[in-house]
């Protein structure tokens, strides 16, 4: 009989809530994807390359033109210089890059520190590698890393630490001081880092995204992971990339070539064309998403929810503690059926249930849908 390697893992909450929203005709603010079209030029480039016959395998590490475009963007937007041949790998989605990085580095019995709440793919990747997840909660309500608790969690078996900024599900953004503390900590303890930066361009209210690649001590020991799907609003294209020093990149690619081998060829070509033609497009995103955040939050002013506007990502947390003491998963399902709005319970991102009563809503939606959702939530 098969003994499951992931006995505690079932269908993800995102799949379940989206299915429930569809079943009951609810507005789906649960799963994180935009419901408005990506740039026309990007879609046209994909169609053109597919029709021109560019439908066979790309090089395992990614098309050279796309890797060059990524390197150019990193220089232009982050001041980071990297070799597209030895330090950039194009992958079919950021989740695959995170899985490959963890698999490449973590041996059975080694520990990986995860900061709760954390995205749901991190822990299974550690377990499948034979590693031991060590969960350290962040400080609510700001959801900043608790560096004292993180250091206390480090042992002789600790191999890796995973960070995520801008953060899913909370929208928190790590400060420069946080990255400096991380740099000092991992350098002193000889740890590796996976830095999930898929929402790098979605940072609001004048804040800046600080990439791990911009800190010398992190640059040399870090897998930094990015997502074209999140940046360009094409989550269904499942394409991202990982930047790491040559030795770490070589190990990542050893795993990547036996997981998915390559990312989709015409998608890569379309991205390379668009990034070359519109090198600063990504810098225009924050203003539009911040306007949607503000629209959604303002429309909730008369509700019984409380909130702190999201600092980054396209997720907004709502605190329902003034409304109910019920379990957040129960309420998500109930309000999807009865109020017609689907969200995600934040407790699913924790190893141990938190005291906060929070729900996550995606505001990467058309204005009309955000206003309709807010109107329904105000009735609760």
């Amino acid at each position: 009989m098969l003994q499951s390697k992931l006995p505690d893992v079932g269908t993800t909450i995102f799949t379940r809530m989206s299915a429930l929203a569809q079943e009951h005709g609810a507005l789906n603010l649960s799963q994180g994807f935009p419901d408005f079209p990506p740039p026309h030029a990007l879609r046209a480039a994909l169609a053109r390359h597919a029709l021109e016959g560019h439908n066979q395998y790309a090089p395992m590490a990614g098309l050279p033109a796309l890797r060059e475009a990524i390197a150019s963007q990193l220089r232009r937007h982050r001041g980071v210089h990297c070799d597209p041949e030895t330090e950039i790998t194009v992958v079919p989605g950021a989740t695959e890059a995170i899985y490959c990085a963890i698999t490449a580095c973590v041996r059975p019995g080694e520990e990986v520190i995860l900061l709760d709440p954390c995205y749901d793919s991190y822990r299974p990747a550690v377990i499948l590698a034979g590693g031991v997840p060590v969960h350290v909660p962040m400080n609510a309500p700001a959801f900043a890393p608790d560096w004292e608790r993180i250091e206390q969690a480090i042992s002789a078996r600790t191999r890796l630490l995973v960070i995520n900024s801008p953060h899913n599900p909370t929208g928190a953004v790590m400060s420069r001081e946080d990255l400096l503390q991380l740099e000092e900590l991992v350098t002193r303890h000889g740890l590796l880092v996976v830095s999930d930066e898929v929402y790098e361009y979605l940072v609001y209210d004048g804040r800046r995204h600080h990439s791990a690649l911009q800190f010398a001590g992190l640059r040399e020991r870090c897998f930094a992971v990015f997502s074209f799907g999140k940046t360009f609003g094409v989550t269904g294209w499942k394409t991202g990339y990982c930047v790491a020093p040559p030795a770490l990149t070589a190990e990542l690619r050893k795993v990547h070539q036996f997981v998915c081998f390559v990312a989709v060829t015409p998608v890569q070509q379309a991205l390379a064309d668009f990034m070359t033609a519109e090198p600063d497009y990504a810098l225009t995103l924050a203003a539009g998403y911040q306007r949607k955040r503000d629209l959604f939050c303002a429309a909730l002013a008369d509700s019984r929810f409380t909130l702190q506007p999201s600092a980054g990502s396209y997720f907004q947390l709502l605190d329902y503690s003034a409304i109910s003491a019920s379990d957040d998963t129960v309420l998500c399902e109930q309000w999807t059926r009865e109020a017609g709005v689907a969200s995600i319970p934040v407790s699913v991102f924790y190893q141990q249930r938190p005291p906060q009563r929070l729900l996550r809503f995606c505001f990467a939606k058309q204005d009309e849908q955000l206003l309709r959702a807010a109107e329904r939530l105000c009735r609760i």
Side-chain angles (χ1 to χ4, degrees):
M1 296 294 292
L2 176 66
Q3 184 175 358
S4 175
K5 290 185 175 181
L6 298 171
D8 299 325
V9 173
T11 305
T12 71
I13 189 68
F14 311 107
T15 299
R16 285 160 38 206
M17 292 308 301
S18 288
L20 191 65
Q22 184 173 16
E23 178 185 351
H24 293 277
L27 299 172
N28 187 5
L29 272 60
S30 60
Q31 197 164 5
F33 61 86
D35 69 349
F36 42 85
H40 180 271
L42 181 59
R43 289 176 284 151
L46 174 62
R48 183 178 71 254
H49 284 293
L51 290 171
E52 288 176 355
H54 302 147
N55 301 301
Q56 307 309 322
Y57 294 126
M60 181 267 289
L63 286 174
L66 181 54
R67 285 184 280 140
E68 289 283 357
I70 292 167
S72 177
Q73 180 174 273
L74 286 167
R75 287 193 301 272
R76 188 180 183 96
H77 296 168
R78 306 291 176 213
V80 171
H81 296 261
C82 57
D83 185 342
E85 185 64 29
T86 63
E87 296 185 298
I88 298 174
T89 307
V90 180
V91 293
T95 301
E96 194 252 9
I98 293 167
Y99 174 85
C100 291
I102 290 172
T103 301
C105 297
V106 177
R107 296 177 176 85
E110 292 184 329
E111 296 174 352
V112 177
I113 294 178
L114 307 176
L115 306 183
D116 281 358
C118 69
Y119 188 63
D120 67 345
S121 78
Y122 302 164
R123 178 181 172 86
V126 174
I127 293 171
L128 289 171
V132 180
V134 177
H135 292 261
V136 179
M138 292 191 287
N139 289 323
F143 295 100
D146 186 330
W147 295 110
E148 184 176 343
R149 291 188 69 171
I150 292 170
E151 177 135 33
Q152 290 172 353
I154 295 173
S155 75
R157 296 183 300 278
T158 305
R159 177 66 168 165
L160 181 70
L161 195 152
V162 182
I163 63 169
N164 174 209
S165 178
H167 188 256
N168 179 13
T170 70
V173 175
M174 279 194 180
S175 68
R176 183 175 183 274
E177 289 68 30
D178 283 323
L179 272 295
L180 287 170
Q181 288 197 64
L182 175 66
E183 179 182 41
E184 190 279 329
L185 187 72
V186 299
T187 301
R188 179 158 45 87
H189 289 279
L191 306 181
L192 298 175
V193 174
V194 170
S195 182
D196 179 349
E197 304 182 25
V198 299
Y199 299 100
E200 60 171 328
Y201 289 105
L202 308 185
V203 178
Y204 313 126
D205 303 315
R207 296 178 180 86
R208 293 180 56 194
H209 170 66
H210 300 283
S211 173
L213 298 174
Q214 295 172 299
F215 298 80
L218 296 175
R219 176 80 170 86
E220 65 185 11
R221 60 181 66 249
C222 177
F223 299 90
V225 179
F226 305 89
S227 169
F228 293 119
K230 299 298 190 298
T231 296
F232 296 120
V234 287
T235 60
W237 290 17
K238 288 301 294 178
T239 306
Y241 60 98
C242 181
V243 180
L248 296 184
T249 293
E251 296 305 312
L252 174 97
R253 290 177 180 177
K254 289 178 185 179
V255 179
H256 162 64
Q257 68 183 342
F258 295 117
V259 175
C260 289
F261 183 56
V262 291
V264 177
T265 300
V267 166
Q268 293 189 61
Q269 290 178 311
L271 289 164
D273 286 357
F274 186 78
M275 292 171 69
T276 300
E278 301 283 350
D280 291 329
Y281 170 81
L283 298 179
T284 69
L285 295 171
Y289 279 102
Q290 181 174 326
R291 186 191 63 78
K292 288 185 176 292
R293 180 206 67 178
D294 292 345
L295 178 73
F296 184 54
C297 291
L300 290 165
D302 293 331
S303 75
R304 293 197 289 161
F305 294 95
T306 57
L307 63 89
Q308 179 66 37
S310 172
S313 79
Y314 44 50
F315 301 115
Q316 177 63 52
L317 297 186
L318 299 186
D319 186 325
Y320 67 87
S321 57
I323 303 173
S324 174
S326 296
D327 175 86
D328 58 355
T329 303
V330 171
L331 276 185
C332 274
E333 294 175 356
Q334 177 184 332
W335 287 343
T336 299
R337 291 190 299 267
E338 298 176 3
V341 182
S343 61
I344 295 293
V346 171
S347 67
V348 302
F349 298 93
Y350 281 86
Q351 178 64 12
Q352 294 186 346
R353 180 172 292 277
Q356 300 84 21
R357 297 189 177 99
L358 299 168
L359 305 180
R360 190 199 78 173
F361 294 80
C362 176
F363 57 81
K365 307 297 176 185
Q366 296 182 48
D367 290 0
E368 180 187 4
Q369 178 153 312
L370 292 174
L371 292 173
R372 287 172 61 204
E375 180 182 7
R376 295 180 183 183
L377 293 170
C378 285
R379 297 188 197 130
I380 295 174

Coordinates of all heavy atoms in Angstrom, one line a residue, residues 239-292:
T239 N 5.0 31.3 -15.9 CA 6.4 31.5 -16.2 C 7.0 32.5 -15.2 O 6.4 33.6 -14.9 CB 6.5 32.1 -17.6 OG1 5.8 31.2 -18.5 CG2 8.0 32.1 -18.1
G240 N 8.2 32.2 -14.7 CA 8.9 33.0 -13.8 C 10.4 32.8 -14.0 O 10.9 32.2 -15.0
Y241 N 11.2 33.3 -13.1 CA 12.7 33.1 -13.2 C 13.3 33.1 -11.8 O 12.7 33.6 -10.8 CB 13.3 34.1 -14.1 CG 13.2 35.5 -13.7 CD1 14.2 36.2 -13.1 CD2 12.0 36.2 -14.1 CE1 14.0 37.5 -12.7 CE2 11.9 37.6 -13.8 CZ 12.9 38.2 -13.1 OH 12.8 39.6 -12.8
C242 N 14.5 32.5 -11.7 CA 15.2 32.5 -10.5 C 16.6 33.0 -10.8 O 17.3 32.7 -11.8 CB 15.3 31.0 -10.0 SG 16.3 30.9 -8.4
V243 N 17.1 33.9 -9.9 CA 18.4 34.5 -10.0 C 19.2 34.0 -8.8 O 18.8 34.1 -7.6 CB 18.3 36.0 -10.0 CG1 19.8 36.6 -10.1 CG2 17.5 36.5 -11.1
A244 N 20.4 33.4 -9.0 CA 21.2 32.9 -7.9 C 22.7 32.9 -8.4 O 22.9 32.9 -9.7 CB 20.8 31.5 -7.5
P245 N 23.6 32.9 -7.5 CA 25.0 32.9 -8.0 C 25.3 31.6 -8.7 O 24.5 30.6 -8.6 CB 25.8 32.9 -6.7 CG 24.9 32.6 -5.6 CD 23.5 33.0 -6.1
P246 N 26.4 31.5 -9.5 CA 26.6 30.4 -10.4 C 26.5 29.0 -9.7 O 25.9 28.1 -10.3 CB 28.0 30.7 -11.0 CG 28.1 32.2 -11.0 CD 27.4 32.6 -9.7
A247 N 27.1 28.9 -8.6 CA 27.2 27.5 -7.9 C 25.8 27.1 -7.5 O 25.4 25.9 -7.7 CB 28.1 27.6 -6.7
L248 N 25.0 28.0 -7.0 CA 23.6 27.7 -6.6 C 22.7 27.5 -7.9 O 21.9 26.6 -7.9 CB 23.0 28.8 -5.7 CG 23.6 29.0 -4.4 CD1 22.9 30.1 -3.6 CD2 23.7 27.7 -3.6
T249 N 22.9 28.3 -8.9 CA 22.2 28.1 -10.1 C 22.4 26.8 -10.7 O 21.5 26.1 -11.2 CB 22.6 29.2 -11.2 OG1 22.1 30.5 -10.7 CG2 21.9 29.0 -12.5
A250 N 23.7 26.3 -10.7 CA 24.0 25.0 -11.3 C 23.2 23.9 -10.5 O 22.7 22.9 -11.2 CB 25.5 24.7 -11.1
E251 N 23.1 24.0 -9.2 CA 22.4 23.0 -8.5 C 20.9 23.1 -8.7 O 20.2 22.1 -8.8 CB 22.7 23.1 -7.0 CG 24.1 22.8 -6.6 CD 24.6 21.5 -7.1 OE1 23.9 20.5 -6.9 OE2 25.7 21.4 -7.7
L252 N 20.4 24.3 -8.8 CA 18.9 24.5 -9.2 C 18.6 23.8 -10.5 O 17.6 23.1 -10.6 CB 18.6 26.0 -9.2 CG 17.2 26.3 -9.7 CD1 16.3 26.5 -8.5 CD2 17.2 27.5 -10.6
R253 N 19.5 24.1 -11.5 CA 19.2 23.5 -12.8 C 19.3 22.0 -12.9 O 18.6 21.4 -13.7 CB 20.2 24.2 -13.8 CG 19.9 25.6 -14.1 CD 21.0 26.2 -15.0 NE 20.7 27.6 -15.3 CZ 21.5 28.4 -16.0 NH1 22.6 27.9 -16.6 NH2 21.3 29.7 -16.2
K254 N 20.1 21.4 -12.0 CA 20.1 20.0 -12.0 C 18.8 19.4 -11.6 O 18.4 18.3 -12.2 CB 21.2 19.5 -11.0 CG 22.6 19.7 -11.4 CD 23.6 19.3 -10.3 CE 25.0 19.6 -10.6 NZ 25.9 19.2 -9.5
V255 N 18.1 20.0 -10.7 CA 16.7 19.6 -10.3 C 15.7 20.0 -11.4 O 14.8 19.2 -11.8 CB 16.3 20.1 -9.0 CG1 14.9 19.7 -8.6 CG2 17.4 19.7 -7.9
H256 N 15.8 21.3 -11.8 CA 14.8 21.8 -12.8 C 14.7 21.0 -14.0 O 13.6 20.8 -14.5 CB 15.2 23.3 -13.1 CG 14.6 23.8 -14.3 ND1 13.3 24.0 -14.5 CD2 15.2 24.2 -15.5 CE1 13.0 24.6 -15.7 NE2 14.2 24.7 -16.3
Q257 N 15.8 20.5 -14.5 CA 15.8 19.8 -15.8 C 15.1 18.4 -15.7 O 14.6 17.9 -16.7 CB 17.2 19.6 -16.3 CG 18.1 18.6 -15.5 CD 19.5 18.5 -16.0 OE1 19.8 18.8 -17.1 NE2 20.4 18.0 -15.2
F258 N 14.9 18.0 -14.5 CA 14.2 16.7 -14.3 C 12.8 16.9 -13.7 O 12.1 15.9 -13.4 CB 15.0 15.7 -13.4 CG 16.3 15.3 -14.1 CD1 17.5 15.6 -13.5 CD2 16.3 14.6 -15.3 CE1 18.7 15.3 -14.1 CE2 17.4 14.2 -15.9 CZ 18.7 14.6 -15.3
V259 N 12.4 18.1 -13.5 CA 11.0 18.4 -13.0 C 10.2 18.9 -14.2 O 9.2 18.2 -14.5 CB 11.0 19.5 -11.9 CG1 9.6 19.9 -11.5 CG2 11.8 18.9 -10.7
C260 N 10.5 20.0 -14.8 CA 9.8 20.5 -15.9 C 10.7 20.6 -17.2 O 10.1 20.8 -18.3 CB 9.1 21.8 -15.6 SG 7.7 21.7 -14.5
F261 N 12.0 20.6 -17.0 CA 13.0 20.8 -18.1 C 13.0 22.2 -18.6 O 14.0 22.8 -18.7 CB 12.8 19.7 -19.2 CG 13.8 19.8 -20.2 CD1 15.2 19.7 -19.9 CD2 13.5 19.9 -21.6 CE1 16.2 19.7 -20.9 CE2 14.5 20.0 -22.5 CZ 15.8 19.9 -22.2
V262 N 11.9 22.6 -19.2 CA 11.9 24.0 -19.8 C 10.6 24.7 -19.5 O 9.5 24.1 -19.2 CB 12.0 23.9 -21.3 CG1 13.4 23.4 -21.7 CG2 11.0 23.0 -22.0
A263 N 10.6 26.0 -19.7 CA 9.4 26.8 -19.7 C 8.9 26.9 -21.2 O 9.6 26.6 -22.1 CB 9.6 28.2 -19.1
V264 N 7.6 27.3 -21.3 CA 7.0 27.3 -22.7 C 7.6 28.3 -23.6 O 7.8 29.5 -23.3 CB 5.5 27.7 -22.5 CG1 4.8 27.7 -23.8 CG2 4.8 26.6 -21.6
T265 N 8.0 27.8 -24.8 CA 8.8 28.6 -25.8 C 8.1 29.8 -26.3 O 8.7 30.9 -26.1 CB 9.2 27.7 -26.9 OG1 10.0 26.6 -26.5 CG2 10.0 28.4 -28.0
P266 N 6.9 29.8 -26.9 CA 6.3 31.1 -27.4 C 6.0 32.1 -26.3 O 6.1 33.3 -26.5 CB 5.1 30.6 -28.1 CG 4.7 29.3 -27.5 CD 6.0 28.7 -27.2
V267 N 5.7 31.6 -25.0 CA 5.6 32.5 -23.9 C 6.9 33.3 -23.6 O 6.9 34.5 -23.5 CB 5.1 31.8 -22.7 CG1 5.2 32.6 -21.4 CG2 3.6 31.3 -22.8
Q268 N 8.0 32.5 -23.6 CA 9.3 33.2 -23.4 C 9.6 34.2 -24.5 O 10.1 35.3 -24.2 CB 10.4 32.1 -23.3 CG 10.3 31.2 -22.2 CD 11.6 30.3 -22.1 OE1 12.7 30.8 -21.9 NE2 11.4 29.0 -22.1
Q269 N 9.3 33.9 -25.7 CA 9.6 34.8 -26.8 C 8.7 36.1 -26.7 O 9.2 37.2 -26.9 CB 9.4 34.1 -28.1 CG 10.4 33.0 -28.4 CD 10.2 32.3 -29.7 OE1 9.1 31.8 -30.0 NE2 11.2 32.2 -30.5
A270 N 7.5 35.9 -26.4 CA 6.6 37.0 -26.2 C 7.1 37.9 -25.1 O 7.1 39.2 -25.2 CB 5.2 36.6 -25.9
L271 N 7.5 37.4 -24.0 CA 8.0 38.1 -22.8 C 9.2 38.9 -23.2 O 9.4 40.1 -22.9 CB 8.2 37.2 -21.6 CG 7.0 36.7 -21.0 CD1 7.3 35.5 -20.1 CD2 6.3 37.8 -20.2
A272 N 10.1 38.2 -23.9 CA 11.4 38.9 -24.3 C 11.1 40.1 -25.2 O 11.7 41.2 -25.1 CB 12.3 37.9 -25.1
D273 N 10.2 39.9 -26.2 CA 9.8 41.0 -27.1 C 9.2 42.2 -26.3 O 9.6 43.3 -26.5 CB 8.7 40.5 -28.1 CG 9.3 39.6 -29.2 OD1 10.5 39.4 -29.2 OD2 8.5 39.1 -30.0
F274 N 8.3 41.9 -25.4 CA 7.6 42.9 -24.7 C 8.5 43.7 -23.7 O 8.5 44.9 -23.6 CB 6.4 42.3 -23.9 CG 5.5 43.4 -23.2 CD1 4.6 44.1 -24.0 CD2 5.7 43.6 -21.9 CE1 3.8 45.1 -23.4 CE2 4.9 44.6 -21.3 CZ 4.0 45.3 -22.0
M275 N 9.4 42.9 -23.0 CA 10.3 43.6 -22.1 C 11.3 44.5 -22.8 O 11.7 45.5 -22.3 CB 11.0 42.5 -21.2 CG 10.1 41.8 -20.3 SD 10.8 40.4 -19.5 CE 12.1 41.2 -18.4
T276 N 11.7 44.1 -24.0 CA 12.6 44.9 -24.8 C 12.0 46.1 -25.3 O 12.5 47.2 -25.3 CB 13.2 44.0 -26.0 OG1 13.8 42.9 -25.5 CG2 14.2 44.8 -26.8
A277 N 10.7 46.0 -25.8 CA 10.0 47.1 -26.3 C 9.5 48.1 -25.2 O 9.4 49.3 -25.4 CB 8.8 46.7 -27.1
E278 N 9.1 47.5 -24.0 CA 8.6 48.3 -22.9 C 9.3 48.1 -21.6 O 8.8 47.5 -20.7 CB 7.1 47.9 -22.7 CG 6.2 48.1 -23.9 CD 5.8 49.6 -24.1 OE1 6.1 50.4 -23.2 OE2 5.3 49.9 -25.2
P279 N 10.6 48.5 -21.6 CA 11.4 48.1 -20.4 C 11.0 48.7 -19.1 O 11.3 48.1 -18.0 CB 12.8 48.7 -20.8 CG 12.5 49.8 -21.8 CD 11.3 49.4 -22.5
D280 N 10.1 49.7 -19.1 CA 9.7 50.3 -17.8 C 8.2 50.1 -17.5 O 7.6 50.7 -16.6 CB 10.0 51.8 -17.8 CG 11.5 52.1 -17.7 OD1 12.2 51.3 -17.1 OD2 11.9 53.1 -18.3
Y281 N 7.6 49.2 -18.3 CA 6.2 48.9 -18.1 C 5.9 48.5 -16.6 O 4.9 49.0 -16.0 CB 5.7 47.8 -19.0 CG 4.3 47.3 -18.7 CD1 3.2 48.0 -19.2 CD2 4.1 46.1 -17.9 CE1 1.9 47.6 -18.9 CE2 2.8 45.7 -17.6 CZ 1.7 46.4 -18.1 OH 0.5 46.0 -17.8
A282 N 6.7 47.6 -16.1 CA 6.5 47.1 -14.7 C 6.4 48.3 -13.7 O 5.7 48.1 -12.7 CB 7.5 46.1 -14.3
L283 N 7.1 49.3 -14.0 CA 7.2 50.5 -13.0 C 5.9 51.2 -13.0 O 5.6 52.0 -12.1 CB 8.3 51.4 -13.4 CG 9.7 50.8 -13.3 CD1 10.8 51.9 -13.7 CD2 10.0 50.3 -11.9
T284 N 5.0 51.0 -14.0 CA 3.7 51.7 -14.0 C 2.6 51.0 -13.2 O 1.5 51.5 -13.1 CB 3.2 51.8 -15.5 OG1 2.9 50.6 -16.0 CG2 4.3 52.5 -16.3
L285 N 2.9 49.8 -12.8 CA 1.8 48.9 -12.2 C 1.3 49.4 -10.8 O 0.1 49.3 -10.5 CB 2.3 47.5 -12.1 CG 2.6 46.8 -13.4 CD1 3.3 45.4 -13.1 CD2 1.4 46.6 -14.2
A286 N 2.2 49.9 -10.0 CA 1.8 50.1 -8.6 C 0.7 51.2 -8.5 O -0.2 51.0 -7.7 CB 3.1 50.6 -7.8
A287 N 0.8 52.2 -9.3 CA -0.3 53.2 -9.2 C -1.6 52.7 -9.5 O -2.6 53.0 -8.8 CB 0.1 54.4 -10.2
G288 N -1.8 51.8 -10.5 CA -3.1 51.3 -10.8 C -3.6 50.3 -9.8 O -4.8 50.4 -9.4
Y289 N -2.7 49.5 -9.2 CA -3.1 48.6 -8.2 C -3.5 49.3 -6.9 O -4.4 48.9 -6.1 CB -2.1 47.5 -8.0 CG -2.1 46.4 -9.0 CD1 -1.2 46.3 -10.0 CD2 -3.1 45.4 -8.9 CE1 -1.3 45.3 -11.0 CE2 -3.2 44.3 -9.8 CZ -2.2 44.3 -10.8 OH -2.3 43.3 -11.7
Q290 N -2.7 50.4 -6.6 CA -3.0 51.1 -5.4 C -4.3 51.8 -5.5 O -5.1 51.9 -4.5 CB -1.9 52.2 -5.2 CG -2.1 53.0 -3.9 CD -1.0 54.0 -3.6 OE1 0.2 53.7 -3.8 NE2 -1.3 55.1 -3.0
R291 N -4.7 52.3 -6.7 CA -6.0 52.9 -6.9 C -7.1 51.9 -6.6 O -8.1 52.2 -5.9 CB -6.1 53.4 -8.3 CG -7.4 54.2 -8.5 CD -7.7 54.5 -10.0 NE -7.8 53.2 -10.8 CZ -8.9 52.5 -10.8 NH1 -10.0 52.9 -10.1 NH2 -9.0 51.4 -11.5
K292 N -6.9 50.6 -7.0 CA -7.9 49.6 -6.8 C -8.0 49.3 -5.3 O -9.1 49.1 -4.7 CB -7.6 48.3 -7.6 CG -7.9 48.5 -9.1 CD -7.6 47.2 -9.8 CE -8.0 47.4 -11.3 NZ -9.5 47.5 -11.4

